[in-house]
Amino acid sequence: MSAPLRLDLDGDALVANWRWLGARVPDAACGAAIKANGYGLGAAAVMWRLADAGCRDFFVATWAEAERLGPLPEGVTLSVLHGVRAEDMGVALAHPARPVLNSVDQVRRWREAGGGACDVMVDTGMNRLGISAAEATSGLLDGLAIETVLSHLACADDPNHPLNARQLADFAALAGRVGARRRSLANSAGILLGADYGFDLVRPGIALYGGVAGPGGESVTPVVRPMAQILQMRDVPEGQDVGYGATWAAGRPTRAAILNVGYADGFLRALGASGFGRLGDAILPVIGRVSMDLLTLDATGAPDAREGDWVALDFDLPRVSQASGLSQYELLTGLGSRFERRWC
Ligand SMILES: *Cc1c(COP(=O)(O)O)cnc(C)c1O
């Protein structure tokens, strides 16, 4: 079945971004965070593409996400960042993925079940998930088969934030005392902080998908291009209004294009004010309010626009983020299920 809206996904750009990130931390392996359906792109498709390029370490948030991936590529390991709740144990013991144990209860639960290989998250100042340094060195972890010890940076997108160096030092001191085979600290922004942050394994997400994670991160290539089809063209006479609430009035005779995309697809109302599409060389600004399933553009500058044409929606992540107040993460993960995802 053909959908009137699609995401054009650039597989070469995805792989190029993964290689570029890996080259920032030459002594570390470069993994990939593919939680939240691969930040909206499609987690299994991202995993298979990156596995073909040589990526061996993948991260999802939950066991439901792990199961949805289907069979894992040969030689690949998957870590489940949220660890094991009591309700997860059946699935977790049967699945090839490893839990990232985050709390004392999770450690005990995994050990009592004889769970085998696992990862462990230690908190170094973010106060989100993870056991404390004191817990990590208390004997709690003795005898566990720990593959990777992880921590997570709170402020890596701000290279001047003093917490970065503090977390780096605390993690370096602690990681050696946890009997793990590998150490992993950096997300995308952490990689940009420098090779010191690489340790043995890095876990980028947003930058793989074209997000600019921080200063120096502009070299990534965009991966996601949302496209929507024109359902109708109409002439709006001068002085008439467009859309819900009649928030936009035509100051001149206007040719309007009605697109098959709306806030239910992740094109939120906050993107309306500064949003635009492109048809050939023409820029088509959003006019009026974004509807649930529809979006109206001023196509006066594109006299050739016709019903059925595909319009590329502006999705420059840093710029759209700046203009809308939504984070690049929110922009990507909000992309809805009605888009047909097409890799090219
Ligand atoms: C989401 C996540 C990542 C990836 O973060 P990005 O900022 O998208 O690169 C890495 N590690 C953990 C623990 C995460 O939750």
Side-chain angles (χ1 to χ4, degrees):
M1 202 192 305
S2 132
L5 67 172
R6 66 171 201 253
L7 297 180
D8 283 349
L9 300 168
D10 185 337
D12 292 340
L14 174 75
V15 169
N17 292 340
W18 177 73
R19 289 195 208 287
W20 184 83
L21 289 160
R24 305 301 99 209
V25 283
D27 296 334
C30 190
I34 56 170
K35 59 201 185 184
N37 195 28
Y39 290 47
L41 282 69
V46 167
M47 174 181 70
W48 282 95
R49 279 186 165 68
L50 291 178
D52 277 349
C55 184
R56 288 291 166 265
D57 303 278
F58 293 89
F59 297 86
V60 291
T62 67
W63 291 94
E65 290 185 338
E67 289 213 297
R68 228 170 280 135
L69 287 172
L72 303 179
E74 181 83 31
V76 151
T77 72
L78 179 68
S79 296
V80 177
L81 288 164
H82 292 188
V84 274
R85 304 170 304 156
E87 298 90 322
D88 294 323
M89 287 306 292
V91 176
L93 289 169
H95 198 282
R98 293 192 299 272
V100 179
L101 304 176
N102 292 291
S103 69
V104 172
D105 279 355
Q106 288 193 356
V107 169
R108 296 210 173 111
R109 186 174 294 128
W110 190 248
R111 183 203 300 286
E112 279 160 22
C118 59
D119 297 337
V120 171
M121 175 71 75
V122 290
D123 181 67
T124 52
M126 185 174 187
N127 284 297
R128 199 176 63 172
L129 289 178
I131 59 173
S132 69
E135 287 162 347
T137 51
S138 67
L140 173 73
L141 303 176
D142 290 355
L144 278 184
I146 305 173
E147 170 64 23
T148 307
V149 57
L150 301 85
S151 192
H152 194 51
L153 296 163
C155 305
D157 57 338
D158 175 5
N160 296 317
H161 202 290
L163 193 49
N164 295 325
R166 224 156 59 218
Q167 287 194 270
L168 174 66
D170 289 353
F171 183 65
L174 180 66
R177 301 180 59 195
V178 174
R181 206 172 71 74
R182 296 195 296 179
R183 303 158 299 165
S184 176
L185 178 61
N187 61 349
S188 302
I191 292 169
L192 301 177
L193 292 177
D196 290 359
Y197 286 79
F199 292 92
D200 303 308
L201 170 66
V202 292
R203 327 180 288 271
I206 191 82
L208 294 171
Y209 310 115
V212 176
E218 301 81 3
S219 307
V220 294
T221 309
V223 177
V224 181
R225 192 149 39 104
M227 309 280 296
Q229 218 170 4
I230 300 178
L231 284 180
Q232 184 175 2
M233 297 295 304
R234 70 165 54 251
D235 289 305
V236 184
E238 180 173 346
Q240 285 210 11
D241 306 306
V242 167
Y244 281 123
T247 60
W248 187 90
R252 50 162 169 73
T254 298
R255 184 87 176 134
I258 318 300
L259 296 197
N260 197 126
V261 65
Y263 58 75
D265 304 303
F267 197 96
L268 301 188
R269 276 163 56 159
L271 276 60
S274 61
F276 60 89
R278 279 178 214 274
L279 188 63
D281 293 334
I283 301 276
L284 286 59
V286 174
I287 54 178
R289 250 184 220 162
V290 179
S291 299
M292 183 185 292
D293 322 296
L294 295 167
L295 179 68
T296 304
L297 305 182
D298 180 349
T300 312
D304 296 339
R306 295 283 178 274
E307 247 182 71
D309 285 351
W310 286 89
V311 175
L313 296 167
D314 174 47
F315 206 61
D316 179 289
L317 286 168
R319 188 173 67 234
V320 175
S321 168
Q322 182 75 35
S324 64
L326 299 167
S327 72
Q328 297 174 68
Y329 298 82
E330 290 169 296
L331 292 171
L332 282 172
T333 59
L335 293 168
S337 57
R338 293 192 292 193
F339 284 101
E340 180 192 326
R341 283 150 170 86
R342 186 187 291 182
W343 290 87
C344 31

